[in-house]
């Protein structure tokens, strides 16, 4: 059967796929269907016909709904809007919260098996996706402390339409905190602008930063975030977890998951992709202010803030460097005594969505620390790295997963690995 571009077809949706879409088949070809749920029968519009192995489609009508379907939490992203005008950023917004977490669990576990080569009987495959405190009571709304909006040639401000770079006008931002939503210039025209970032100021308000033709207009002063008893200074456009409870959740997770029996406070411990020092501080909170820890981050402004944020930890240092180059140079120049110290070290790594990658993982295998604490924001990239680590002689000791992005397909994982015995 030949299916023309934009043809409408009826599909039986079978399972969930990575990326916030579900899977169906048409004449033996895989179809990735947006705005659907496993177990549903939907009418969908084929939106791309340029792949030899699969098509993409957008749901236009639900013929047989899943019992887990709910009215979309964002009218601007709901089925009632034409697919070309549906706002992106809430691709699970039509699914009840507990089932969103189940689907995320399925994607994570499937990735662990397919890319991580984790055996079916491994305890980590029984992982559950944990909610952040307060999210269930809020129905997963009002958690984003940072929002990036785009501006089209007519000055209209809004998010991109799902799976596109086309700006769509919206009336609300239900995933944003009240302060961020209130400050967002959704009803304004910003001619000449390219992007608008609306950022919580770390307290009760929000800042609006407008980027236009290489220029950035905004306050420009740093933001102070508080996690537990510690404050963290960061640039207003610098990286920080977007969920208001994510930094505390990950700090607690890292602190609790570090294996005390494998830890040496005097070893050359590392926090790779360390940002402004959040997870290095978590390690020091667990094992004391004399803990030796070095954060490595390619953004010099983040490194400067990490140095400031960890100033009370006398054995903490911060280095501006690409992680791959840092590890290569560290290994190349290490003395025999220093290499011996590596085997006593604990290493935290929180790489970007693409994962650590083959070169960094290869260096870590040569570094061979006593324990690796891997914070992952993409299950496939993490599982690929995990496969390389386990093939290189490490074993997965524990795994937790957190729903830091309700109503989206994203899930955060926190793993601890040690050399296989």
């Amino acid at each position: 059967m030949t299916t023309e571009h934009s043809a409408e077809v009826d599909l039986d949706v079978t399972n969930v796929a990575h990326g916030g879409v579900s899977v169906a088949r048409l004449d033996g070809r895989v179809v990735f269907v947006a705005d659907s749920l496993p177990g549903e029968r939907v009418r969908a519009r084929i939106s791309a016909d340029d792949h030899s192995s699969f098509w993409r489609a957008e749901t236009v009508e639900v013929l047989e709904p899943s019992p887990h379907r709910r009215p979309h939490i964002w009218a601007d992203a709901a089925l009632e809007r034409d697919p070309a005008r549906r706002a992106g950023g809430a691709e699970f917004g039509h699914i009840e919260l507990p089932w969103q977490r189940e689907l995320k669990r399925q994607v994570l576990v499937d990735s662990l098996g397919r890319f991580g080569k984790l055996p079916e009987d491994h305890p980590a495959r029984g992982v559950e996706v944990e909610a952040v405190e307060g999210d269930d009571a809020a129905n997963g709304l009002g958690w984003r402390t940072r929002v990036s909006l785009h501006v089209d040639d007519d000055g209209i401000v809004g998010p991109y339409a799902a799976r596109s770079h086309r700006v769509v006008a919206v009336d609300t931002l239900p995933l944003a905190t009240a302060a961020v939503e209130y400050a967002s210039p959704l009803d304004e025209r910003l001619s000449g602008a390219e992007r608008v970032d609306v950022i919580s100021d770390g307290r009760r308000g929000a800042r609006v930063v407008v980027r236009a033709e290489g220029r950035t207009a905004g306050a420009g002063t740093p933001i102070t975030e508080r996690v537990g008893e510690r404050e963290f200074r960061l640039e207003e456009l610098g990286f920080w977890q977007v969920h208001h409870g994510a930094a505390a959740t990950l700090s607690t997770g890292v602190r609790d998951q570090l294996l005390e029996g494998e830890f040496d406070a005097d070893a050359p411990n590392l926090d790779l992709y360390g940002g402004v020092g959040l997870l290095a501080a978590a390690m020091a909170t667990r094992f004391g202010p004399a803990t030796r820890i070095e954060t490595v981050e390619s953004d010099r402004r983040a490194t400067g803030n990490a140095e400031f944020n960890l100033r009370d930890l006398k054995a903490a240092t911060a280095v501006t460097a690409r992680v791959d180059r840092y590890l290569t140079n560290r290994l190349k120049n290490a003395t025999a005594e220093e290499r011996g110290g590596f085997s006593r070290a604990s290493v935290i790594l929180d790489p970007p969505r693409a994962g650590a990658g083959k070169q960094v993982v290869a260096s870590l295998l040569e570094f061979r620390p006593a324990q690796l604490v891997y914070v992952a924001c993409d299950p496939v990239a993490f599982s690929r790295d995990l496969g390389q680590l386990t093939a290189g002689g490490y074993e997965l000791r524990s795994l937790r997963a957190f729903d830091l992005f309700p109503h989206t397909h994203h899930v955060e994982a926190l793993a601890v690995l040690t050399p296989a015995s």
Side-chain angles (χ1 to χ4, degrees), residues 138-322:
N139 192 30
L141 305 178
W143 52 267
R144 288 195 71 103
T145 61
R146 285 156 175 74
V147 170
S148 288
L149 302 170
H150 305 276
V151 186
D152 69 11
D153 293 340
D154 295 323
I156 293 174
V157 181
Y160 283 143
R163 295 165 292 281
S164 81
H165 289 86
R166 182 175 55 258
V167 176
V168 293
V170 299
D171 296 321
T172 62
L173 297 171
L175 300 187
T177 63
V180 168
E181 183 179 37
Y182 181 79
S184 297
L186 299 177
D187 56 353
E188 298 181 25
R189 292 290 183 100
L190 299 180
S191 297
E194 298 173 351
R195 176 171 161 175
V196 179
D197 289 282
V198 187
I199 308 142
S200 169
D201 64 3
R203 294 177 177 82
R204 293 185 178 180
R207 305 179 184 189
V208 178
V209 181
V210 180
R211 307 189 199 190
E213 299 176 354
R215 296 178 291 106
T216 301
T221 55
I223 289 171
T224 299
E225 296 280 2
R226 189 174 184 87
V227 180
E229 299 301 314
R230 182 177 286 275
E231 290 186 340
F232 293 87
R233 186 183 73 185
L234 63 143
E235 303 304 306
E236 64 181 1
L237 294 180
F239 175 78
W240 188 256
Q241 293 287 340
V242 297
H243 191 299
H244 60 74
T249 298
L250 291 177
S251 292
T252 301
V254 167
R255 190 176 68 231
D256 293 348
Q257 294 300 103
L258 279 161
L259 300 173
E260 185 172 4
E262 306 295 337
F263 191 80
D264 184 343
D266 296 320
N269 303 302
L270 296 174
D271 177 17
L272 305 178
Y273 312 94
V276 298
L278 174 70
L279 301 182
M283 180 185 285
T285 299
R286 168 82 182 274
F287 295 106
T291 297
R292 181 182 171 189
I293 178 73
E294 184 157 86
T295 71
V296 183
E297 169 60 51
S298 61
D299 185 333
R300 61 177 178 80
R301 291 170 297 182
T303 303
N305 284 322
E307 193 171 46
F308 176 82
N309 296 333
L310 305 175
R311 65 193 182 279
D312 59 313
L313 308 177
K314 303 307 179 185
T317 53
V319 173
T320 302
R322 278 181 39 168

Side-chain angles (χ1 to χ4, degrees), residues 100-119:
Q100 291 181 30
R101 296 179 192 129
E102 168 57 20
L103 295 179
K104 295 178 187 189
R105 186 197 69 80
Q106 291 177 19
V107 170
L108 175 57
V109 170
D110 178 67
S111 299
L112 291 172
R114 287 200 295 146
F115 302 104
K117 309 303 180 185
L118 204 66

Side-chain angles (χ1 to χ4, degrees), residues 6 35 45 47 58-60 76-88 159-169:
S6 296
D35 303 312
R45 184 178 302 162
S47 59
E58 319 288 339
T59 300
V60 294
D76 296 313
L79 288 182
E80 287 72 20
R81 268 201 174 195
D82 185 88
R85 296 179 54 249
R86 288 178 197 161
Y160 283 143
R163 295 165 292 281
S164 81
H165 289 86
R166 182 175 55 258
V167 176
V168 293

Side-chain angles (χ1 to χ4, degrees), residues 239-241 250 270-280 293-299 302-303 306 318-327 347-364 372-377 385 412:
F239 175 78
W240 188 256
Q241 293 287 340
L250 291 177
L270 296 174
D271 177 17
L272 305 178
Y273 312 94
V276 298
L278 174 70
L279 301 182
I293 178 73
E294 184 157 86
T295 71
V296 183
E297 169 60 51
S298 61
D299 185 333
T303 303
V319 173
T320 302
R322 278 181 39 168
V323 168
D324 54 352
R325 294 173 182 171
Y326 171 89
L327 290 174
V347 175
I348 301 169
L349 65 158
D350 183 7
R353 197 166 300 283
K358 291 182 178 179
Q359 183 177 341
V360 168
V361 173
S363 293
L364 288 171
L372 280 167
V373 181
Y374 193 130
V375 181
C377 58
D385 289 343
E412 200 92 1

